[in-house]
Amino acid sequence: MTSVAAAIAGVLATGDPRAKIAAARKVARDWRLGRLDWRFDTPMPDRPARPAEPELLPPSAMPRRGKGSQHGRIALVHAIAHIEFAAIDLAFDIAGRFGGTFPRAFTDDWLAVGADEAMHFALLDRRLHALGSRYGALPAHDGLWEAAGDTAHDPLARLAVVPMVLEARGLDVTPATLARVEAAGDAPTARILRRILSDEVRHVAAGTRWFEFGCAERGFDPQATWQKLVTQHFRGTIKGPFNDSARDSAGLTREYYAAIAR
């Protein structure tokens, strides 16, 4: 029987967006149906495969998005689609890289998250086509995978930075984005954003739950450990405004982030 690690590595080695969606869904389904063996015998690549487009730029070199225009709406949907595309690899990588150090339920959670991210990307890619564009038509940045590279050595650091900082930031900013989209009368994009926001609460909850599990195993205080790891491994700043209610629903209480927020 194929190992789950080998199947995950296959997702990470797939660059074409539509093929990656199909691979991600198949691995998540095969795992759920017991068709993959819980073995971690295949190393994860340092970087996942990427399509020829979009052009990847440093975050500081990204062009500003216009607001209110059709081009601005396309740029917004494209930016979110790119985040979701990268999130597919982030979810599968954390399962394949660190699954052997956690109980089997860890793999259950992160392959389910990866399937969610693939679904989000598929919805946004379809929306881009409806708006007369496509994924890859605009440049994007590679900041999300930089965070993965910085935390590839430590599961607690990865959990602290990716789901508990980067994805939690989505809980903070998506409601305002959703309000702007609704005000512009773009109901199809609004429906997608509402689905993403709902799913992100579960994703942040999974990150927080497994972070606390790992801290308990090591005898670490979770809030103090999170603050230390974020200070060491996150290149940005923790800044509000915060969606405290959504964060609380995910178990990411103010005791984690208030002390280091700006």
Side-chain angles (χ1 to χ4, degrees), residues 21-76:
I21 291 170
R25 288 172 166 170
K26 183 177 187 305
V27 170
R29 182 174 60 252
D30 285 349
W31 172 253
R32 190 173 63 250
L33 296 175
R35 297 171 180 166
L36 298 171
D37 194 27
W38 190 45
R39 285 184 290 113
F40 296 89
D41 54 356
T42 303
M44 298 301 107
D46 291 336
R47 292 184 62 84
R50 285 285 181 263
E53 295 178 312
E55 177 188 8
L56 297 180
L57 301 175
S60 60
M62 287 291 295
R64 286 184 172 274
R65 294 197 300 266
K67 294 182 179 179
S69 65
Q70 177 78 350
H71 178 76
R73 190 175 310 169
I74 289 170
L76 171 66

Side-chain angles (χ1 to χ4, degrees), residues 15 17 20 46-63 78-87 89 121 134-147:
K20 187 182 287 288
D46 291 336
R47 292 184 62 84
R50 285 285 181 263
E53 295 178 312
E55 177 188 8
L56 297 180
L57 301 175
S60 60
M62 287 291 295
H78 191 280
I80 300 170
H82 181 68
I83 290 170
E84 298 299 323
F85 186 72
D89 288 323
F121 175 78
R134 59 180 175 81
Y135 178 62
L138 299 174
H141 70 78
D142 202 28
L144 288 174
W145 195 258
E146 288 177 3

Side-chain angles (χ1 to χ4, degrees), residues 212-262:
E212 291 178 348
F213 176 93
C215 286
E217 278 203 323
R218 295 162 176 78
F220 295 164
D221 174 81
Q223 286 85 18
T225 302
W226 183 85
Q227 292 161 13
K228 176 183 176 182
L229 291 170
V230 170
T231 300
Q232 290 176 341
H233 298 290
F234 180 56
R235 301 182 187 184
T237 57
I238 307 300
K239 58 184 180 180
F242 299 108
N243 186 348
D244 291 322
S245 62
R247 285 169 171 254
D248 283 347
S249 296
L252 186 61
T253 61
R254 287 188 63 83
E255 285 76 18
Y256 277 100
Y257 54 89
I260 61 172
R262 294 186 182 177

